[in-house]
Every structure is written in structure tokens, then in C-alpha cells.
mmCIF file of all heavy atoms in Angstrom:
data_model
loop_
_atom_site.group_PDB
_atom_site.id
_atom_site.type_symbol
_atom_site.label_atom_id
_atom_site.label_comp_id
_atom_site.label_asym_id
_atom_site.label_seq_id
_atom_site.Cartn_x
_atom_site.Cartn_y
_atom_site.Cartn_z
ATOM 1 N N CYS A 1 -57.101 131.842 107.636
ATOM 2 C CA CYS A 1 -57.541 130.947 108.708
ATOM 3 C C CYS A 1 -58.944 130.389 108.474
ATOM 4 O O CYS A 1 -59.718 130.911 107.667
ATOM 5 C CB CYS A 1 -57.486 131.673 110.048
ATOM 6 S SG CYS A 1 -55.795 132.062 110.588
ATOM 7 N N ASP A 2 -59.248 129.340 109.215
ATOM 8 C CA ASP A 2 -60.550 128.682 109.138
ATOM 9 C C ASP A 2 -61.517 129.171 110.210
ATOM 10 O O ASP A 2 -62.732 129.203 109.999
ATOM 11 C CB ASP A 2 -60.379 127.168 109.314
ATOM 12 C CG ASP A 2 -59.532 126.552 108.232
ATOM 13 O OD1 ASP A 2 -60.042 126.359 107.123
ATOM 14 O OD2 ASP A 2 -58.348 126.267 108.506
ATOM 15 N N VAL A 3 -60.969 129.507 111.372
ATOM 16 C CA VAL A 3 -61.790 129.878 112.523
ATOM 17 C C VAL A 3 -61.174 131.099 113.188
ATOM 18 O O VAL A 3 -59.942 131.174 113.345
ATOM 19 C CB VAL A 3 -61.864 128.730 113.556
ATOM 20 C CG1 VAL A 3 -62.735 129.132 114.752
ATOM 21 C CG2 VAL A 3 -62.369 127.444 112.928
ATOM 22 N N MET A 4 -61.997 132.064 113.560
ATOM 23 C CA MET A 4 -61.544 133.176 114.389
ATOM 24 C C MET A 4 -62.308 133.129 115.705
ATOM 25 O O MET A 4 -63.534 132.991 115.718
ATOM 26 C CB MET A 4 -61.780 134.527 113.704
ATOM 27 C CG MET A 4 -61.322 135.712 114.572
ATOM 28 S SD MET A 4 -61.245 137.279 113.676
ATOM 29 C CE MET A 4 -62.976 137.562 113.335
ATOM 30 N N VAL A 5 -61.561 133.227 116.799
ATOM 31 C CA VAL A 5 -62.164 133.169 118.125
ATOM 32 C C VAL A 5 -61.826 134.453 118.870
ATOM 33 O O VAL A 5 -60.672 134.889 118.874
ATOM 34 C CB VAL A 5 -61.644 131.954 118.929
ATOM 35 C CG1 VAL A 5 -62.458 131.771 120.205
ATOM 36 C CG2 VAL A 5 -61.681 130.681 118.089
ATOM 37 N N GLU A 6 -62.829 135.070 119.497
ATOM 38 C CA GLU A 6 -62.579 136.304 120.257
ATOM 39 C C GLU A 6 -63.488 136.367 121.479
ATOM 40 O O GLU A 6 -64.580 135.797 121.482
ATOM 41 C CB GLU A 6 -62.761 137.542 119.368
ATOM 42 C CG GLU A 6 -64.117 137.698 118.717
ATOM 43 C CD GLU A 6 -65.121 138.487 119.557
ATOM 44 O OE1 GLU A 6 -64.719 139.080 120.584
ATOM 45 O OE2 GLU A 6 -66.311 138.497 119.183
ATOM 46 N N ASN A 7 -63.007 137.042 122.498
ATOM 47 C CA ASN A 7 -63.836 137.325 123.678
ATOM 48 C C ASN A 7 -63.669 138.784 124.099
ATOM 49 O O ASN A 7 -63.524 139.100 125.273
ATOM 50 C CB ASN A 7 -63.526 136.359 124.829
ATOM 51 C CG ASN A 7 -62.079 136.405 125.299
ATOM 52 O OD1 ASN A 7 -61.164 136.733 124.536
ATOM 53 N ND2 ASN A 7 -61.849 136.067 126.557
ATOM 54 N N PHE A 8 -63.680 139.672 123.088
ATOM 55 C CA PHE A 8 -63.641 141.108 123.345
ATOM 56 C C PHE A 8 -64.940 141.575 123.991
ATOM 57 O O PHE A 8 -65.944 140.853 124.006
ATOM 58 C CB PHE A 8 -63.444 141.891 122.034
ATOM 59 C CG PHE A 8 -62.104 141.663 121.374
ATOM 60 C CD1 PHE A 8 -62.035 141.303 120.034
ATOM 61 C CD2 PHE A 8 -60.924 141.832 122.078
ATOM 62 C CE1 PHE A 8 -60.818 141.105 119.413
ATOM 63 C CE2 PHE A 8 -59.697 141.634 121.459
ATOM 64 C CZ PHE A 8 -59.646 141.275 120.120
ATOM 65 N N ALA A 9 -64.906 142.804 124.477
ATOM 66 C CA ALA A 9 -66.142 143.433 124.940
ATOM 67 C C ALA A 9 -67.104 143.541 123.756
ATOM 68 O O ALA A 9 -66.683 143.601 122.588
ATOM 69 C CB ALA A 9 -65.843 144.808 125.519
ATOM 70 N N PRO A 10 -68.409 143.548 124.013
ATOM 71 C CA PRO A 10 -69.390 143.599 122.921
ATOM 72 C C PRO A 10 -69.122 144.752 121.950
ATOM 73 O O PRO A 10 -68.898 145.891 122.361
ATOM 74 C CB PRO A 10 -70.719 143.792 123.658
ATOM 75 C CG PRO A 10 -70.499 143.184 125.013
ATOM 76 C CD PRO A 10 -69.064 143.472 125.341
ATOM 77 N N GLY A 11 -69.109 144.441 120.652
ATOM 78 C CA GLY A 11 -68.972 145.461 119.615
ATOM 79 C C GLY A 11 -67.559 145.873 119.277
ATOM 80 O O GLY A 11 -67.360 146.725 118.389
ATOM 81 N N ALA A 12 -66.542 145.281 119.913
ATOM 82 C CA ALA A 12 -65.158 145.724 119.703
ATOM 83 C C ALA A 12 -64.705 145.518 118.264
ATOM 84 O O ALA A 12 -64.125 146.426 117.641
ATOM 85 C CB ALA A 12 -64.219 144.999 120.667
ATOM 86 N N LEU A 13 -64.940 144.347 117.699
ATOM 87 C CA LEU A 13 -64.517 144.100 116.321
ATOM 88 C C LEU A 13 -65.304 144.940 115.331
ATOM 89 O O LEU A 13 -64.764 145.388 114.311
ATOM 90 C CB LEU A 13 -64.661 142.616 115.978
ATOM 91 C CG LEU A 13 -63.476 141.707 116.322
ATOM 92 C CD1 LEU A 13 -63.759 140.293 115.861
ATOM 93 C CD2 LEU A 13 -62.186 142.203 115.692
ATOM 94 N N ASP A 14 -66.575 145.170 115.620
ATOM 95 C CA ASP A 14 -67.380 146.024 114.745
ATOM 96 C C ASP A 14 -66.775 147.416 114.659
ATOM 97 O O ASP A 14 -66.694 148.017 113.571
ATOM 98 C CB ASP A 14 -68.816 146.125 115.268
ATOM 99 C CG ASP A 14 -69.592 144.827 115.103
ATOM 100 O OD1 ASP A 14 -69.022 143.853 114.553
ATOM 101 O OD2 ASP A 14 -70.758 144.772 115.527
ATOM 102 N N ARG A 15 -66.337 147.935 115.805
ATOM 103 C CA ARG A 15 -65.753 149.276 115.828
ATOM 104 C C ARG A 15 -64.427 149.328 115.088
ATOM 105 O O ARG A 15 -64.011 150.390 114.624
ATOM 106 C CB ARG A 15 -65.585 149.754 117.273
ATOM 107 C CG ARG A 15 -66.917 150.027 117.984
ATOM 108 C CD ARG A 15 -66.721 150.706 119.323
ATOM 109 N NE ARG A 15 -66.083 149.841 120.305
ATOM 110 C CZ ARG A 15 -66.733 148.997 121.097
ATOM 111 N NH1 ARG A 15 -68.061 148.887 121.006
ATOM 112 N NH2 ARG A 15 -66.068 148.247 121.975
ATOM 113 N N MET A 16 -63.764 148.191 114.963
ATOM 114 C CA MET A 16 -62.516 148.125 114.193
ATOM 115 C C MET A 16 -62.783 148.055 112.695
ATOM 116 O O MET A 16 -61.857 148.134 111.882
ATOM 117 C CB MET A 16 -61.702 146.901 114.618
ATOM 118 C CG MET A 16 -61.069 147.020 115.989
ATOM 119 S SD MET A 16 -60.491 145.409 116.630
ATOM 120 C CE MET A 16 -59.646 144.725 115.223
ATOM 121 N N GLY A 17 -64.054 147.893 112.323
ATOM 122 C CA GLY A 17 -64.405 147.790 110.911
ATOM 123 C C GLY A 17 -64.548 146.371 110.423
ATOM 124 O O GLY A 17 -64.715 146.134 109.221
ATOM 125 N N PHE A 18 -64.499 145.410 111.332
ATOM 126 C CA PHE A 18 -64.599 144.009 110.939
ATOM 127 C C PHE A 18 -65.902 143.409 111.484
ATOM 128 O O PHE A 18 -65.919 142.638 112.430
ATOM 129 C CB PHE A 18 -63.378 143.231 111.427
ATOM 130 C CG PHE A 18 -62.112 143.608 110.715
ATOM 131 C CD1 PHE A 18 -61.275 144.588 111.231
ATOM 132 C CD2 PHE A 18 -61.775 143.013 109.507
ATOM 133 C CE1 PHE A 18 -60.121 144.962 110.570
ATOM 134 C CE2 PHE A 18 -60.602 143.379 108.836
ATOM 135 C CZ PHE A 18 -59.774 144.364 109.364
ATOM 136 N N THR A 19 -66.994 143.827 110.863
ATOM 137 C CA THR A 19 -68.296 143.261 111.193
ATOM 138 C C THR A 19 -68.368 141.831 110.653
ATOM 139 O O THR A 19 -67.525 141.409 109.840
ATOM 140 C CB THR A 19 -69.425 144.083 110.571
ATOM 141 O OG1 THR A 19 -69.279 144.040 109.132
ATOM 142 C CG2 THR A 19 -69.359 145.537 111.034
ATOM 143 N N TRP A 20 -69.381 141.091 111.070
ATOM 144 C CA TRP A 20 -69.560 139.741 110.561
ATOM 145 C C TRP A 20 -69.758 139.762 109.044
ATOM 146 O O TRP A 20 -69.210 138.906 108.324
ATOM 147 C CB TRP A 20 -70.746 139.083 111.249
ATOM 148 C CG TRP A 20 -71.219 137.779 110.669
ATOM 149 C CD1 TRP A 20 -72.487 137.448 110.339
ATOM 150 C CD2 TRP A 20 -70.422 136.622 110.362
ATOM 151 N NE1 TRP A 20 -72.553 136.165 109.844
ATOM 152 C CE2 TRP A 20 -71.297 135.622 109.851
ATOM 153 C CE3 TRP A 20 -69.059 136.334 110.465
ATOM 154 C CZ2 TRP A 20 -70.859 134.366 109.434
ATOM 155 C CZ3 TRP A 20 -68.606 135.079 110.054
ATOM 156 C CH2 TRP A 20 -69.494 134.108 109.544
ATOM 157 N N GLU A 21 -70.461 140.772 108.535
ATOM 158 C CA GLU A 21 -70.664 140.870 107.090
ATOM 159 C C GLU A 21 -69.341 141.089 106.362
ATOM 160 O O GLU A 21 -69.088 140.480 105.314
ATOM 161 C CB GLU A 21 -71.642 142.004 106.780
ATOM 162 C CG GLU A 21 -73.078 141.754 107.227
ATOM 163 C CD GLU A 21 -73.265 141.853 108.740
ATOM 164 O OE1 GLU A 21 -72.433 142.535 109.408
ATOM 165 O OE2 GLU A 21 -74.231 141.251 109.260
ATOM 166 N N ARG A 22 -68.476 141.926 106.944
ATOM 167 C CA ARG A 22 -67.168 142.185 106.331
ATOM 168 C C ARG A 22 -66.288 140.932 106.391
ATOM 169 O O ARG A 22 -65.589 140.611 105.416
ATOM 170 C CB ARG A 22 -66.487 143.351 107.065
ATOM 171 C CG ARG A 22 -65.062 143.651 106.613
ATOM 172 C CD ARG A 22 -64.985 143.994 105.146
ATOM 173 N NE ARG A 22 -63.605 144.239 104.726
ATOM 174 C CZ ARG A 22 -63.131 143.878 103.541
ATOM 175 N NH1 ARG A 22 -63.918 143.268 102.646
ATOM 176 N NH2 ARG A 22 -61.873 144.130 103.218
ATOM 177 N N ILE A 23 -66.335 140.223 107.489
ATOM 178 C CA ILE A 23 -65.550 138.991 107.620
ATOM 179 C C ILE A 23 -65.996 137.972 106.579
ATOM 180 O O ILE A 23 -65.167 137.293 105.953
ATOM 181 C CB ILE A 23 -65.679 138.434 109.052
ATOM 182 C CG1 ILE A 23 -64.973 139.371 110.042
ATOM 183 C CG2 ILE A 23 -65.100 137.020 109.149
ATOM 184 C CD1 ILE A 23 -65.283 139.086 111.492
ATOM 185 N N GLN A 24 -67.307 137.870 106.336
ATOM 186 C CA GLN A 24 -67.822 136.943 105.329
ATOM 187 C C GLN A 24 -67.351 137.329 103.924
ATOM 188 O O GLN A 24 -67.093 136.451 103.094
ATOM 189 C CB GLN A 24 -69.350 136.912 105.367
ATOM 190 C CG GLN A 24 -69.928 136.151 106.556
ATOM 191 C CD GLN A 24 -71.437 136.137 106.526
ATOM 192 O OE1 GLN A 24 -72.076 137.188 106.587
ATOM 193 N NE2 GLN A 24 -72.012 134.960 106.418
ATOM 194 N N GLU A 25 -67.251 138.638 103.668
ATOM 195 C CA GLU A 25 -66.754 139.090 102.369
ATOM 196 C C GLU A 25 -65.301 138.657 102.170
ATOM 197 O O GLU A 25 -64.910 138.238 101.075
ATOM 198 C CB GLU A 25 -66.851 140.617 102.270
ATOM 199 C CG GLU A 25 -68.260 141.155 102.148
ATOM 200 C CD GLU A 25 -68.282 142.677 102.185
ATOM 201 O OE1 GLU A 25 -67.179 143.279 102.221
ATOM 202 O OE2 GLU A 25 -69.376 143.259 102.189
ATOM 203 N N ILE A 26 -64.513 138.774 103.232
ATOM 204 C CA ILE A 26 -63.094 138.426 103.143
ATOM 205 C C ILE A 26 -62.909 136.912 102.996
ATOM 206 O O ILE A 26 -62.106 136.450 102.185
ATOM 207 C CB ILE A 26 -62.346 138.917 104.405
ATOM 208 C CG1 ILE A 26 -62.439 140.440 104.520
ATOM 209 C CG2 ILE A 26 -60.879 138.476 104.385
ATOM 210 C CD1 ILE A 26 -61.961 140.982 105.862
ATOM 211 N N ASN A 27 -63.667 136.148 103.782
ATOM 212 C CA ASN A 27 -63.523 134.693 103.771
ATOM 213 C C ASN A 27 -64.878 134.049 104.073
ATOM 214 O O ASN A 27 -65.256 133.896 105.238
ATOM 215 C CB ASN A 27 -62.485 134.250 104.808
ATOM 216 C CG ASN A 27 -62.253 132.746 104.805
ATOM 217 O OD1 ASN A 27 -62.911 131.993 104.084
ATOM 218 N ND2 ASN A 27 -61.302 132.299 105.614
ATOM 219 N N PRO A 28 -65.624 133.650 103.029
ATOM 220 C CA PRO A 28 -66.956 133.076 103.249
ATOM 221 C C PRO A 28 -66.948 131.778 104.056
ATOM 222 O O PRO A 28 -67.980 131.376 104.583
ATOM 223 C CB PRO A 28 -67.471 132.820 101.815
ATOM 224 C CG PRO A 28 -66.652 133.711 100.941
ATOM 225 C CD PRO A 28 -65.309 133.802 101.599
ATOM 226 N N ARG A 29 -65.792 131.115 104.147
ATOM 227 C CA ARG A 29 -65.691 129.858 104.890
ATOM 228 C C ARG A 29 -65.305 130.072 106.355
ATOM 229 O O ARG A 29 -65.233 129.114 107.127
ATOM 230 C CB ARG A 29 -64.660 128.931 104.225
ATOM 231 C CG ARG A 29 -65.106 128.397 102.875
ATOM 232 C CD ARG A 29 -63.993 127.600 102.196
ATOM 233 N NE ARG A 29 -63.504 126.493 103.011
ATOM 234 C CZ ARG A 29 -64.093 125.299 103.125
ATOM 235 N NH1 ARG A 29 -65.224 125.067 102.451
ATOM 236 N NH2 ARG A 29 -63.587 124.339 103.881
ATOM 237 N N MET A 30 -65.099 131.327 106.728
ATOM 238 C CA MET A 30 -64.656 131.617 108.098
ATOM 239 C C MET A 30 -65.741 131.299 109.120
ATOM 240 O O MET A 30 -66.903 131.676 108.967
ATOM 241 C CB MET A 30 -64.256 133.087 108.214
ATOM 242 C CG MET A 30 -63.964 133.553 109.641
ATOM 243 S SD MET A 30 -62.569 132.717 110.419
ATOM 244 C CE MET A 30 -61.179 133.512 109.598
ATOM 245 N N ILE A 31 -65.349 130.615 110.172
ATOM 246 C CA ILE A 31 -66.202 130.385 111.343
ATOM 247 C C ILE A 31 -65.776 131.392 112.405
ATOM 248 O O ILE A 31 -64.619 131.408 112.829
ATOM 249 C CB ILE A 31 -66.062 128.942 111.846
ATOM 250 C CG1 ILE A 31 -66.627 127.975 110.798
ATOM 251 C CG2 ILE A 31 -66.756 128.762 113.195
ATOM 252 C CD1 ILE A 31 -66.194 126.544 110.980
ATOM 253 N N TYR A 32 -66.702 132.242 112.799
ATOM 254 C CA TYR A 32 -66.408 133.348 113.715
ATOM 255 C C TYR A 32 -67.050 133.030 115.063
ATOM 256 O O TYR A 32 -68.270 133.049 115.201
ATOM 257 C CB TYR A 32 -66.943 134.641 113.110
ATOM 258 C CG TYR A 32 -66.878 135.876 113.982
ATOM 259 C CD1 TYR A 32 -66.015 135.970 115.070
ATOM 260 C CD2 TYR A 32 -67.693 136.977 113.710
ATOM 261 C CE1 TYR A 32 -65.961 137.102 115.855
ATOM 262 C CE2 TYR A 32 -67.648 138.120 114.486
ATOM 263 C CZ TYR A 32 -66.784 138.164 115.560
ATOM 264 O OH TYR A 32 -66.737 139.294 116.348
ATOM 265 N N ALA A 33 -66.221 132.714 116.040
ATOM 266 C CA ALA A 33 -66.709 132.268 117.343
ATOM 267 C C ALA A 33 -66.444 133.321 118.410
ATOM 268 O O ALA A 33 -65.341 133.865 118.501
ATOM 269 C CB ALA A 33 -66.030 130.953 117.726
ATOM 270 N N SER A 34 -67.458 133.586 119.232
ATOM 271 C CA SER A 34 -67.361 134.644 120.238
ATOM 272 C C SER A 34 -67.841 134.165 121.591
ATOM 273 O O SER A 34 -68.825 133.436 121.691
ATOM 274 C CB SER A 34 -68.220 135.855 119.837
ATOM 275 O OG SER A 34 -67.837 136.377 118.596
ATOM 276 N N VAL A 35 -67.146 134.615 122.630
ATOM 277 C CA VAL A 35 -67.620 134.481 124.006
ATOM 278 C C VAL A 35 -68.121 135.848 124.448
ATOM 279 O O VAL A 35 -67.436 136.856 124.282
ATOM 280 C CB VAL A 35 -66.503 134.023 124.957
ATOM 281 C CG1 VAL A 35 -66.963 134.121 126.415
ATOM 282 C CG2 VAL A 35 -66.076 132.599 124.654
ATOM 283 N N LYS A 36 -69.308 135.881 125.007
ATOM 284 C CA LYS A 36 -69.842 137.105 125.591
ATOM 285 C C LYS A 36 -70.375 136.789 126.983
ATOM 286 O O LYS A 36 -70.603 135.629 127.327
ATOM 287 C CB LYS A 36 -70.954 137.690 124.705
ATOM 288 C CG LYS A 36 -70.437 138.191 123.360
ATOM 289 C CD LYS A 36 -69.536 139.405 123.521
ATOM 290 C CE LYS A 36 -68.940 139.877 122.204
ATOM 291 N NZ LYS A 36 -67.740 139.109 121.794
ATOM 292 N N GLY A 37 -70.593 137.810 127.779
ATOM 293 C CA GLY A 37 -71.090 137.588 129.129
ATOM 294 C C GLY A 37 -72.534 137.138 129.145
ATOM 295 O O GLY A 37 -72.903 136.186 129.830
ATOM 296 N N PHE A 38 -73.367 137.848 128.354
ATOM 297 C CA PHE A 38 -74.796 137.546 128.316
ATOM 298 C C PHE A 38 -75.259 137.434 126.872
ATOM 299 O O PHE A 38 -74.657 138.024 125.961
ATOM 300 C CB PHE A 38 -75.605 138.656 129.000
ATOM 301 C CG PHE A 38 -75.322 138.823 130.464
ATOM 302 C CD1 PHE A 38 -74.414 139.772 130.907
ATOM 303 C CD2 PHE A 38 -75.960 138.026 131.409
ATOM 304 C CE1 PHE A 38 -74.146 139.940 132.254
ATOM 305 C CE2 PHE A 38 -75.701 138.184 132.764
ATOM 306 C CZ PHE A 38 -74.798 139.146 133.185
ATOM 307 N N GLY A 39 -76.341 136.704 126.671
ATOM 308 C CA GLY A 39 -76.974 136.670 125.372
ATOM 309 C C GLY A 39 -77.858 137.893 125.191
ATOM 310 O O GLY A 39 -77.874 138.807 126.029
ATOM 311 N N PRO A 40 -78.621 137.952 124.098
ATOM 312 C CA PRO A 40 -79.509 139.084 123.852
ATOM 313 C C PRO A 40 -80.471 139.301 125.016
ATOM 314 O O PRO A 40 -81.023 138.357 125.567
ATOM 315 C CB PRO A 40 -80.257 138.664 122.580
ATOM 316 C CG PRO A 40 -79.335 137.695 121.906
ATOM 317 C CD PRO A 40 -78.648 136.956 123.010
ATOM 318 N N GLY A 41 -80.648 140.562 125.396
ATOM 319 C CA GLY A 41 -81.510 140.871 126.527
ATOM 320 C C GLY A 41 -81.023 142.115 127.244
ATOM 321 O O GLY A 41 -80.140 142.833 126.747
ATOM 322 N N PRO A 42 -81.533 142.381 128.419
ATOM 323 C CA PRO A 42 -81.219 143.637 129.112
ATOM 324 C C PRO A 42 -79.759 143.762 129.552
ATOM 325 O O PRO A 42 -79.286 144.865 129.790
ATOM 326 C CB PRO A 42 -82.154 143.613 130.332
ATOM 327 C CG PRO A 42 -82.491 142.163 130.536
ATOM 328 C CD PRO A 42 -82.514 141.571 129.168
ATOM 329 N N PHE A 43 -79.026 142.644 129.655
ATOM 330 C CA PHE A 43 -77.648 142.702 130.142
ATOM 331 C C PHE A 43 -76.608 142.457 129.055
ATOM 332 O O PHE A 43 -75.423 142.312 129.351
ATOM 333 C CB PHE A 43 -77.445 141.665 131.258
ATOM 334 C CG PHE A 43 -78.408 141.775 132.395
ATOM 335 C CD1 PHE A 43 -79.138 140.665 132.808
ATOM 336 C CD2 PHE A 43 -78.599 142.971 133.056
ATOM 337 C CE1 PHE A 43 -80.032 140.749 133.865
ATOM 338 C CE2 PHE A 43 -79.492 143.076 134.114
ATOM 339 C CZ PHE A 43 -80.211 141.965 134.513
ATOM 340 N N GLU A 44 -77.018 142.398 127.795
ATOM 341 C CA GLU A 44 -76.108 141.929 126.749
ATOM 342 C C GLU A 44 -74.868 142.809 126.562
ATOM 343 O O GLU A 44 -73.854 142.335 126.057
ATOM 344 C CB GLU A 44 -76.841 141.781 125.418
ATOM 345 C CG GLU A 44 -77.394 143.057 124.832
ATOM 346 C CD GLU A 44 -78.137 142.770 123.529
ATOM 347 O OE1 GLU A 44 -77.551 142.137 122.623
ATOM 348 O OE2 GLU A 44 -79.309 143.157 123.420
ATOM 349 N N ASP A 45 -74.914 144.067 126.961
ATOM 350 C CA ASP A 45 -73.758 144.943 126.799
ATOM 351 C C ASP A 45 -72.896 145.020 128.066
ATOM 352 O O ASP A 45 -71.949 145.808 128.121
ATOM 353 C CB ASP A 45 -74.219 146.358 126.411
ATOM 354 C CG ASP A 45 -74.839 146.391 125.020
ATOM 355 O OD1 ASP A 45 -74.391 145.601 124.160
ATOM 356 O OD2 ASP A 45 -75.767 147.179 124.800
ATOM 357 N N CYS A 46 -73.207 144.215 129.064
ATOM 358 C CA CYS A 46 -72.470 144.258 130.329
ATOM 359 C C CYS A 46 -71.229 143.366 130.265
ATOM 360 O O CYS A 46 -71.239 142.298 129.656
ATOM 361 C CB CYS A 46 -73.358 143.802 131.481
ATOM 362 S SG CYS A 46 -74.808 144.842 131.737
ATOM 363 N N LYS A 47 -70.166 143.813 130.940
ATOM 364 C CA LYS A 47 -68.956 142.998 131.033
ATOM 365 C C LYS A 47 -69.135 141.947 132.134
ATOM 366 O O LYS A 47 -69.770 142.197 133.152
ATOM 367 C CB LYS A 47 -67.744 143.872 131.350
ATOM 368 C CG LYS A 47 -67.305 144.766 130.216
ATOM 369 C CD LYS A 47 -66.071 145.572 130.579
ATOM 370 C CE LYS A 47 -64.854 144.691 130.707
ATOM 371 N NZ LYS A 47 -63.610 145.479 130.931
#
């Protein structure tokens, strides 16, 4: 694929073993798009 889109809870794909670094190794052309509740800051891990 060209694009992967996810809106899992923060860190879900990382825990599966598919970090952004690992995804780049598999497919350097992959665009990895994520929806999260908050950006970096005190609430970033909140649902």
C-alpha cells in the first residue's frame, strides 16, 4: 500500500511491533497517517 491510516489509542501500533521506524524499513514510500485526540502535551495519552 501507499498510505496507512489509523485512529487507534496512542501507542497501539508500537505495541504490536510496528513503530514508524519499522514501517519505514518495510516500505520507505509509506505515508502513515494518524488521528489522535490531543497533540503533544499533558493530555496526549488521553482518549
